[in-house]
Amino acid sequence: MKTVVLGAGIIGISTAWHLLERGHEVTVVDRQPDAALETSFANAGQISVSYCEPWANRDAPLKALKWMFSSTAPLLFRPQLDWQQWRWGLQFLGQCNDAAFERNVAQLVALGAYSHAALKDVVRSTGIDYHRLERGIAHYYTDPKSFDAAAEAAALMRKYGVQRKVVSREELLQIEPAFRPFGHRIVGGTYTPSDESGDARVFTQALARLCAARGARMLYGHDVVRLECTGNTITSVAVQDQLTGATGQKPLQLQADAYVAACGSYTAPLLRSVGVNLPIYPGKGYSATFALKQPDAAPLVSTIDDEVKCAITRLGNELRVAGTIELGGYDLSLDTPLAKARCQMLADRIEQVLPGVCDTTAPNYWTGLRPATPTNIPLIGRTKVNKLWVNAGHGTLGWTHGAGSGKALAELIHGERPAMAFGFHGFEAERGRLTARVA
Ligand SMILES: Cc1cc2nc3c(=O)[nH]c(=O)nc-3n(C[C@H](O)[C@H](O)[C@H](O)COP(=O)(O)OP(=O)(O)OC[C@H]3O[C@@H](n4cnc5c(N)ncnc54)[C@H](O)[C@@H]3O)c2cc1C
């Protein structure tokens, strides 16, 4: 069976890998010169099965309103003259209640567990090295009220089988001693020993090379121009080589038995062109990566700082801090006053919590667009257009859910039943039903 995968981020590459495992003839298309050069490039690196709560919760609307005028707010809604943004915002509001929150958590935990097992299998069979650290994830609090609420959240997560322990300040500092200089501000934390961390870009690029070695055709530097339809069936996809396009050559027409849209945030506009409406909107986030000045004093346990809602992860000889979400369109600028303030906040925070550990004079700032759904649950499945499949909308958790999402979609395309009850089907998403159905 021939399959064309559009997009070479963690999701597209993982889908390609699992299709190859099933004997498919695979072509991967991406506009970038290599895999993982957009949202999968410099994320926080957390395989965060146990910290997977969606942004939509009962307190989110009020918090978002309060934060609207703060340049360093963790969640920033920047209203645009864009119906897609408002529609998405209304769907998000519809998820801001306890029933939806719990339903979404159950789905995210299930997909997380399935994906973690899939990731371990891929690593075992390929031996890919990507600065992996199997040290768990710690979350520290500086505000006693927030720490009290953390116990309630941990109890809810335990209901879904997640091992999230509430720990005292001393216990937290034993788990990760690197934060001792900031210990006087920490009031306590939580810890999930089974979580892990690693570099999503390194992993994805290595897996992409293995896909190529197994015979996948990798069309980098190619723009997806159009999905060609006859009736309700995709007949081909037009892709333009950026090199020959510049000299006026016509696009290539790729034909296949199945087409997978895995273009991250850009999946929504691409599929709208064939009448498929997906609730995906870009959520801009930032990261800063620093060389280590004192490797021995740097943390090994990936950590979440509750006060500024950022994640701190050791990746080899570097430390990455990442966070915040901005809902304001497809803007990737790093040089606006707002973007500068958000980046600076990350660098300042690292100097506060780990003084002198990193070279903060030479930060490597980056921004990416999380393909966010109102539920935080990705859209994995068949669409109403024949031969067109989707694997997108992984929001804050695409690295965590990448291996499993790729495997699940490959299983579905191959006519297998995924070995888990996750069942969020694309066609349901199109009808605007945002709750996942357990298969
Ligand atoms: C600041 C930040 C921190 C994060 N931290 C974490 C974390 O710690 N853990 C976690 O699990 N997740 C995290 N995430 C989320 C995760 O990075 C994303 O969910 C994931 O990278 C999405 O992968 P993707 O393959 O769907 O999208 P992408 O990586 O963006 O891949 C889509 C690909 O499609 C290609 N494409 C798009 N349109 C076209 C077109 N027209 N023609 C050709 N090619 C096209 C792009 O070039 C791109 O390579 C974070 C995200 C951000 C922004």
Side-chain angles (χ1 to χ4, degrees):
M1 190 169 170
K2 275 191 185 173
T3 306
V4 171
V5 178
L6 307 175
I10 175 63
I11 304 303
I13 292 299
S14 157
T15 307
W17 173 258
H18 288 285
L19 286 166
L20 288 164
E21 294 253 273
R22 283 160 182 75
H24 285 232
E25 196 180 308
V26 177
T27 300
V28 178
V29 182
D30 200 289
R31 59 188 168 198
Q32 298 292 344
D34 198 350
L37 292 183
E38 295 207 1
T39 319
S40 306
F41 183 72
N43 66 26
Q46 295 191 328
I47 297 295
S48 181
V49 178
S50 320
Y51 289 102
C52 60
E53 288 99 319
W55 283 86
N57 61 52
R58 82 172 105 111
D59 301 325
L62 206 64
K63 279 188 184 162
L65 263 183
K66 211 173 73 186
W67 285 334
M68 264 181 87
F69 304 101
S70 160
S71 61
T72 52
L75 171 66
L76 189 57
F77 182 68
R78 293 173 51 218
Q80 309 288 308
L81 283 174
D82 174 8
W83 160 237
Q84 298 304 333
Q85 186 198 39
W86 287 92
R87 190 175 76 121
W88 189 96
L90 289 172
Q91 290 168 330
F92 179 85
L93 277 180
Q95 298 298 312
C96 293
N97 60 72
D98 289 348
F101 181 79
E102 284 214 30
R103 204 168 50 226
N104 296 336
V105 163
Q107 285 286 305
L108 292 164
V109 170
L111 180 56
Y114 174 80
S115 196
H116 204 177
L119 176 67
K120 287 177 183 169
D121 282 347
V122 175
V123 175
R124 211 176 294 122
S125 66
T126 60
I128 292 176
D129 184 7
Y130 56 101
H131 302 310
R132 180 184 192 190
L133 286 171
E134 295 173 273
R135 298 279 192 136
I137 295 181
H139 187 150
Y140 61 75
Y141 292 81
T142 51
D143 170 40
K145 251 172 84 180
S146 306
F147 180 46
D148 289 345
E152 204 186 308
L156 171 72
M157 296 307 279
R158 282 197 296 271
K159 210 168 103 181
Y160 293 102
V162 164
Q163 292 306 307
R164 190 188 294 180
K165 296 192 255 186
V166 178
V167 293
S168 66
R169 175 205 345 239
E170 202 39 51
E171 286 167 323
L172 189 118
L173 294 174
Q174 271 166 22
I175 291 164
E176 184 42 83
F179 290 99
R180 279 207 183 276
F182 187 67
H184 61 287
R185 291 282 319 281
I186 293 175
V187 295
T190 57
Y191 179 57
T192 56
S194 57
D195 285 334
E196 50 179 278
S197 60
D199 195 321
R201 174 190 62 79
V202 174
F203 176 87
T204 308
Q205 291 179 346
L207 194 61
R209 283 193 293 276
L210 291 176
C211 286
R214 279 181 95 160
R217 184 180 178 204
M218 310 300 282
L219 295 179
Y220 292 122
H222 282 67
D223 293 309
V224 176
V225 184
R226 235 175 2 264
L227 300 172
E228 311 278 10
C229 265
T230 301
N232 191 38
T233 303
I234 302 282
T235 47
S236 67
V237 52
V239 304
Q240 180 73 67
D241 182 337
Q242 289 158 7
L243 288 177
T244 59
T247 63
Q249 276 193 31
K250 284 197 177 143
L252 276 174
Q253 299 289 337
L254 302 177
Q255 288 175 339
D257 304 301
Y259 303 85
V260 177
C263 293
S265 294
Y266 299 89
T267 311
L270 179 68
L271 265 54
R272 268 202 296 279
S273 68
V274 290
V276 175
N277 274 309
L278 300 178
I280 298 176
Y281 193 76
K284 186 177 185 182
Y286 299 85
S287 73
T289 307
F290 305 99
L292 291 174
K293 280 200 300 198
Q294 299 180 55
D296 292 344
L300 290 168
V301 177
S302 185
T303 311
I304 302 164
D305 178 319
D306 192 70
E307 195 177 317
V308 302
K309 306 271 185 291
C310 66
I312 302 167
T313 300
R314 171 83 173 258
L315 297 167
N317 282 327
E318 294 181 324
L319 196 73
R320 179 163 304 150
V321 51
T324 76
I325 184 160
E326 213 176 291
L327 297 160
Y330 290 80
D331 156 43
L332 277 167
S333 53
L334 275 171
D335 56 358
T336 60
L338 179 66
K340 284 183 180 165
R342 284 168 103 68
C343 290
Q344 190 60 49
M345 191 251 314
L346 296 176
D348 292 347
R349 189 60 174 174
I350 275 299
E351 209 52 85
Q352 257 176 13
V353 300
L354 295 163
V357 171
C358 303
D359 181 2
T360 48
T361 61
N364 215 333
Y365 292 132
W366 169 84
T367 181
L369 300 175
R370 299 176 184 91
T373 62
T375 54
N376 219 29
I377 297 170
L379 311 176
I380 305 166
R382 188 194 285 279
T383 72
K384 67 181 179 190
V385 176
N386 295 328
K387 298 190 180 180
L388 181 60
W389 302 76
V390 64
N391 205 350
H394 292 74
T396 53
L397 290 169
W399 174 214
T400 305
H401 292 159
S405 300
K407 183 175 177 194
L409 189 66
E411 286 173 330
L412 288 169
I413 294 174
H414 200 62
E416 297 165 33
R417 190 183 161 85
M420 67 162 288
F422 82 101
F424 190 83
H425 302 295
F427 59 84
E428 286 191 323
E430 286 159 41
R431 292 185 200 138
R433 276 195 248 152
L434 292 169
T435 53
R437 192 186 61 178
V438 176

